[in-house]
Amino acid sequence: MAYIQRGSHALRQIIKETNVQSHDRMMQPLFYACQGIRYRKLDVILTTSIEKLGKAGETVKVAPGYFRNHLMPKLLAVPNIDKFAYLIREQRKIYQPKEEVVQVVTKNVEDKTKEYEKAAYRLLNSRLVLRRSINVEKFRARSTKDDPIELRSPVTKDELVAEVARQLCIKIEPENLHLPTPLETFGMFDVQLQMPKSIPLPEGRFKWTLKVKIRGT
């Protein structure tokens, strides 16, 4: 508001002090338009941002009537002439806050490798626990108590990926899991992980695995 109010006072003073001769009217559409002469479009400089028209300081084309009846009385815009253009530039230097330049720091390859390695070690040392319902019909049809208890619905690769993100807060892709067939029974499983070759395996390990335990609800 301070920008508009101070700008309004300065503009009124310039307009008041401007001595317009008859031959100058062809060069200053503001005064020519105010006397009722029709122009197709006028070049004006916006003193404030107006939705669907432009930002403060921009030069736009508007209808003479719109400028005369709406923009000029409220000092929302001024004619595109040198005196007004200079005034707008100086005011914007004083009152318009400077835009802050934000520098984006990109991570190098070494930093990303360390993040991958940290995530891989966390997966290796964690255990994913899933609760599932049993297949009642097959449970009753078991020949012995030692037979595996089958699930009502198998656990798929996509479900494991989702649970890793939910429980361990680690985002992996389906291709990071080697799961030829879904998990169909209760128990403990070692699901093989496909990790980049650049990540070294811990000593004594021959492959990356994720422990998955499936238990009843």
Side-chain angles (χ1 to χ4, degrees):
M1 290 299 296
Y3 168 69
I4 296 175
Q5 290 174 356
R6 298 183 187 183
S8 301
H9 176 74
L11 292 173
R12 288 194 181 96
Q13 190 66 26
I14 292 176
I15 294 173
K16 183 177 179 181
E17 295 176 358
T18 304
N19 182 19
V20 184
Q21 303 296 333
S22 59
H23 64 276
D24 292 333
R25 292 177 181 175
M26 293 298 294
M27 301 300 293
Q28 299 187 6
L30 164 64
F31 303 102
Y32 212 24
C34 290
Q35 294 183 16
I37 305 299
R38 291 186 178 181
Y39 280 82
R40 291 183 178 179
K41 291 288 183 179
L42 294 178
D43 283 337
V44 299
I45 305 172
L46 298 177
T47 60
T48 187
S49 299
I50 301 176
E51 187 178 1
K52 298 182 181 180
L53 189 58
K55 296 181 179 180
E58 290 183 349
T59 301
V60 297
K61 291 182 179 291
V62 298
Y66 179 64
F67 174 73
R68 181 175 62 250
N69 299 324
H70 178 68
L71 298 180
M72 186 58 194
K74 298 179 182 180
L75 291 178
L76 300 177
V78 295
N80 185 18
I81 59 178
D82 292 341
K83 184 173 289 189
F84 290 118
Y86 173 78
L87 175 63
I88 295 298
R89 286 196 300 269
E90 293 302 311
Q91 286 180 329
R92 286 179 63 79
K93 289 179 183 179
I94 297 173
Y95 302 114
Q96 187 179 28
K98 294 183 178 180
E99 295 183 357
E100 184 179 357
V101 179
V102 179
Q103 294 183 349
V104 179
V105 180
T106 57
K107 295 183 179 180
N108 55 35
V109 176
E110 183 178 354
D111 292 335
K112 290 183 179 180
T113 302
K114 288 182 179 179
E115 286 188 3
Y116 294 151
E117 184 174 344
K118 184 178 179 180
Y121 274 83
R122 185 176 176 185
L123 289 171
L124 184 64
N125 296 316
S126 299
R127 184 175 67 177
L128 209 62
V129 179
L130 289 81
R131 293 181 178 273
R132 290 294 186 271
S133 300
I134 66 174
N135 187 323
V136 178
E137 293 182 0
K138 292 187 176 181
F139 178 77
R140 292 174 178 174
R142 290 187 306 165
S143 57
T144 66
K145 294 183 178 180
D146 295 330
D147 291 343
I149 302 175
E150 296 191 22
L151 308 177
R152 179 184 297 176
S153 58
V155 176
T156 64
K157 182 185 294 187
D158 290 337
E159 287 180 298
L160 289 179
V161 171
E163 287 298 320
V164 167
R166 188 180 69 86
Q167 296 185 30
L168 306 179
C169 299
I170 299 175
K171 183 180 179 181
I172 62 174
E173 300 296 333
E175 52 266 26
N176 294 130
L177 291 176
H178 179 67
L179 190 67
T181 59
L183 304 178
E184 299 180 343
T185 62
F186 288 158
M188 183 74 75
F189 302 90
D190 285 336
V191 179
Q192 187 174 344
L193 295 169
Q194 305 285 359
M195 291 296 169
K197 294 181 179 180
S198 58
I199 302 178
L201 275 164
E203 187 175 354
R205 291 275 186 170
F206 299 98
K207 61 183 178 179
W208 296 98
T209 56
L210 171 66
K211 293 183 177 66
V212 178
K213 183 177 182 178
I214 305 177
R215 55 188 302 181
T217 55

